[in-house]
Structures are given as C-alpha cells and as structure tokens.
Amino acid sequence: MKTILLTGVCGGMGRAAAEKLIGEGCCVYGIDVKAECPIPGVTYFRADLATGEGLHEAFETMKEKGAKLNAIAHFSGIYDMNSLIEIPEDNFFRIFQVNLFGVFRVNKAFFPLLAPKARIVMVSSELAPLDPLPFTGLYGFTKTAVEKYAFSLRQELSLLGHSVIVIRPGAVKTGLLGDSTAALDRLCASTKLYSYNAERFRNIVNNVENKTISPDDIADLLVKALNAKHPKYIYNINRNLGKAEGERR
C-alpha cells in the first residue's frame, strides 16, 4: 500500500486526488490551512504553508506513526491578478510564500520520511513556460519559479533515487477559477492606471476559463504519474494557450 502526502487537500484538485488515491487503496495524509477538512480516510493536519506553522507537528505525528512516504503531491496554491505597480506589497509577497516557498518548506520538512524511490509531484500552470500576459504576471512567475525549482530539485534527488514530476494544467474547474474572477473584478474596480485595459482583458480571461476540465482529470493524471515505471518530468493537460513567442523548451 502506497502512502501519499497531499498539500491543499481541501481544495478541488487536492480533494479529488485524495478520493482517487483512497479508492486505489493508498494511505493518504493531508495538509491544508482550513480548520478542518472531513474527507473520509484522510489523516488531516492543519498547517499554514505561508509561514510553516503546523508543519513540524504534522511531521512529528507522522514520524511517530512510522509513516514512509511514497510520494508528496503539492496542490496548495493561491491566485492573484493585479497590476505590478499597484499591488500591495503584502499581497505580492504572500503569493510567493504559498506557491513557491510553501512547496520548499514541505519538501524540506518531510524529506526524512521519504521511502526509497519516492516521487514529488508539483502542480504548475500552463502559464509557467510562457511569457506572461498583463496582470497575470504575478501568478505566472510564481509558477515559473516552481518549475525552475522542480527542475533543479529533480537533478539533485535523482542522485538519491527519487523522482520529481510537474503537472502543468490549463484551467481546472475548482475554487481557483472563482478566485481568478474575483481578482479580476477587484482589479477592474480598483485600478487607477489601467481601467480600460483591465476591462478588455476580462474577455481574454473569460475565453480561456471557459475551457475547463474536472479536478478528477488531474487526479487521474496524478495516479498515472505515480504508477508509471518511468515517469515523465512534465505532464501537460488542457492547454488553452498556444505556444507563445519566447516559450522556453
């Protein structure tokens, strides 16, 4: 029986992954910032990835239980759409704290519990390899940074027999889409520099977000990546954006 740690387990993709893995007979540990997350079969820990609060307690409890992790899968993430000139400094830093530094904190904290030939899976975004569009830069370059971190970690952990995998989805029908819409609404209402441009950009975002897939599709892809004899580094799914000039290969 495989043992898996999921971050963001209370969100759409994390919940779907947990339910799929439990159905596959896995032992699932879950981390999220919510006070509680009643998913049957998940051993749940409340932790804030932006600060690291709660991670040590989760680690110690799992260590006492003798947990050996076959995989860590990262589904935690927050979204913001904003002007890089007008965004409050705290908002700018927080998205990095969760989307990038939170991934680093979890991998570092739980590395001692990895079983031989374990896998670390990070969820990126179709925006990560592309030059960012206006107002999506903040989210986009946190995910670009995640992929650079993942590639470097992959090289290092391969020397120890572990694999690092990136799932790079387009729009997924989760609460993050609602966050995207709300962020764009806030931008349109508050910007003093880009009111006309922000309204025009709404049509682009709506067009992309109309082409969504289910969180279950991500869960199925996660299981495929975890079970593959020779997993790929990048798994693309539901890419809505064509290759932009300057896309890195």
Side-chain angles (χ1 to χ4, degrees), residues 118-136:
R119 298 180 181 185
I120 295 177
V121 182
M122 305 180 209
V123 176
S124 178
S125 165
E126 65 177 345
L127 298 177
L130 301 174
D131 292 335
L133 295 170
F135 315 121
T136 66

Side-chain angles (χ1 to χ4, degrees), residues 77-101 124-125 127-147 176 179-180 183-184 186-187 201 248:
I78 58 175
Y79 187 88
D80 201 351
M81 185 179 292
N82 215 318
S83 152
L84 295 176
I85 293 297
E86 297 171 302
I87 186 172
E89 187 173 294
D90 288 347
N91 293 27
F92 186 93
F93 291 148
R94 178 167 174 75
I95 194 168
F96 278 95
Q97 288 290 352
V98 176
N99 291 1
L100 177 61
F101 303 146
S124 178
S125 165
L127 298 177
L130 301 174
D131 292 335
L133 295 170
F135 315 121
T136 66
L138 179 60
Y139 178 76
F141 51 70
T142 64
K143 291 302 185 177
T144 299
V146 165
E147 289 203 8
L176 205 63
D179 293 342
S180 170
L184 185 54
R186 288 193 300 271
L187 173 63
F201 191 67
R248 294 182 293 277

Side-chain angles (χ1 to χ4, degrees), residues 10 20 22 28 32 41 80 91 132 136 150 163-164 167 170 186 192 206 219 225 243:
C10 300
K20 179 73 175 180
I22 290 168
V28 177
D32 210 304
D80 201 351
N91 293 27
T136 66
S163 300
V164 173
I167 293 178
R186 288 193 300 271
K192 292 180 173 59
N206 288 341
K243 285 189 176 181

Side-chain angles (χ1 to χ4, degrees), residues 7-234:
T7 73
V9 72
C10 300
M13 288 188 287
R15 178 181 287 271
E19 292 172 348
K20 179 73 175 180
L21 290 168
I22 290 168
E24 295 280 323
C26 298
C27 172
V28 177
Y29 291 93
I31 290 175
D32 210 304
V33 74
K34 292 184 173 20
E36 57 184 28
C37 185
I39 303 175
V42 172
T43 301
Y44 179 68
F45 301 98
R46 182 177 185 273
D48 185 352
L49 301 192
T51 64
E53 182 182 359
L55 290 181
H56 179 72
E57 291 80 359
F59 170 82
E60 289 297 328
T61 300
M62 291 168 63
K63 182 180 177 182
E64 289 175 8
K65 290 176 176 288
K68 285 294 180 183
L69 297 174
N70 300 105
I72 300 172
H74 294 271
F75 291 101
S76 289
I78 58 175
Y79 187 88
D80 201 351
M81 185 179 292
N82 215 318
S83 152
L84 295 176
I85 293 297
E86 297 171 302
I87 186 172
E89 187 173 294
D90 288 347
N91 293 27
F92 186 93
F93 291 148
R94 178 167 174 75
I95 194 168
F96 278 95
Q97 288 290 352
V98 176
N99 291 1
L100 177 61
F101 303 146
V103 173
F104 162 78
R105 289 185 180 104
V106 169
N107 290 339
K108 184 173 175 60
F110 292 93
F111 177 80
L113 299 184
L114 291 185
K117 298 182 179 180
R119 298 180 181 185
I120 295 177
V121 182
M122 305 180 209
V123 176
S124 178
S125 165
E126 65 177 345
L127 298 177
L130 301 174
D131 292 335
L133 295 170
F135 315 121
T136 66
L138 179 60
Y139 178 76
F141 51 70
T142 64
K143 291 302 185 177
T144 299
V146 165
E147 289 203 8
K148 288 296 186 183
Y149 164 71
F151 187 82
S152 298
L153 187 66
R154 175 175 177 259
Q155 293 185 49
E156 294 181 13
L157 292 192
S158 68
L159 302 175
L160 303 177
H162 303 307
S163 300
V164 173
I165 299 162
V166 170
I167 293 178
R168 185 191 286 163
V172 183
K173 193 177 294 184
T174 68
L176 205 63
L177 282 183
D179 293 342
S180 170
T181 301
L184 185 54
D185 287 343
R186 288 193 300 271
L187 173 63
C188 291
S190 64
T191 182
K192 292 180 173 59
L193 299 175
Y194 303 107
S195 56
Y196 175 71
N197 306 81
E199 288 290 349
R200 289 182 61 195
F201 191 67
R202 185 193 298 274
N203 294 328
I204 299 174
V205 173
N206 288 341
N207 183 56
V208 169
E209 293 184 349
N210 282 334
K211 303 171 185 175
T212 61
I213 57 173
S214 166
D216 293 331
D217 295 324
I218 302 297
D220 291 341
L221 187 57
L222 173 66
V223 171
K224 177 182 178 180
L226 294 181
N227 290 334
K229 185 175 181 180
H230 301 290
K232 296 187 294 184
Y233 169 51
I234 298 283

